[in-house]
Amino acid sequence: MKPRSLNMLKPALNYGFPLVLLALALGFGLSAPGFLSLGNVIGILHAMAPIMVIAAGMGLVVMLGKLDISVGSTAFVAMSCAALVMTRSGWPPAPAILLAIAIGTVLGAVNGFVVCILKVNPLIATLGSMIAFRGLGLQLT
């Protein structure tokens, strides 16, 4: 028989993240009246969008028991290339974004090849590619 105290904690254990998120929103909303305004919420969501996209991909990698620490450098190279073709070659934003997605896909495939086909430890492989991609991004910018 389970102790009664564990049964009382079950909702908190199952819904811990939404409860903490709600508590934070209420706490900030009460301490700063403008926090829950529509403009501020849209601004927060706008600032979080790139991080949420990266976190979704990273979540899948972590659930598979692997680790990829090169995502920031991959995004840096892809966005640097997109910015360069827009500013120096006059590309419109839509094709530049597609180019950035393609570059990110190719760099991710390189990491995938090294980890899955060459059987290099994911931490070591992505650490090396993080350093290489960051150097490439710095060279581009």
Side-chain angles (χ1 to χ4, degrees):
M1 180 187 273
K2 292 183 181 178
R4 183 181 163 123
S5 61
L6 287 179
N7 287 333
M8 293 173 58
L9 289 175
K10 193 163 183 127
L13 294 175
N14 288 337
Y15 302 105
F17 179 73
L19 290 174
V20 169
L21 193 60
L22 180 65
L24 282 171
L26 287 174
F28 282 120
L30 292 173
S31 65
F35 180 77
L36 293 176
S37 68
L38 181 62
N40 190 49
V41 171
I42 289 173
I44 290 171
L45 291 175
H46 178 74
M48 287 176 31
I51 296 168
M52 291 178 0
V53 170
I54 291 172
M58 284 300 298
L60 180 63
V61 171
V62 170
M63 284 187 272
L64 292 172
K66 305 295 182 196
L67 187 62
D68 184 355
I69 58 174
S70 68
V71 292
S73 297
T74 301
F76 178 37
V77 170
M79 291 299 110
S80 297
C81 290
L84 284 173
V85 296
M86 283 192 294
T87 56
R88 294 192 180 164
S89 301
W91 283 28
I97 290 170
L98 291 176
L99 175 70
I101 291 170
I103 289 171
T105 302
V106 168
L107 295 178
V110 168
N111 276 340
F113 175 79
V114 171
V115 170
C116 294
I117 305 300
L118 300 180
K119 305 289 187 204
V120 176
N121 182 306
L123 180 64
I124 302 302
T126 59
L127 177 65
S129 63
M130 176 188 74
I131 294 168
F133 296 164
R134 181 165 296 155
L136 177 61
L138 288 171
Q139 189 65 33
L140 290 170
T141 57

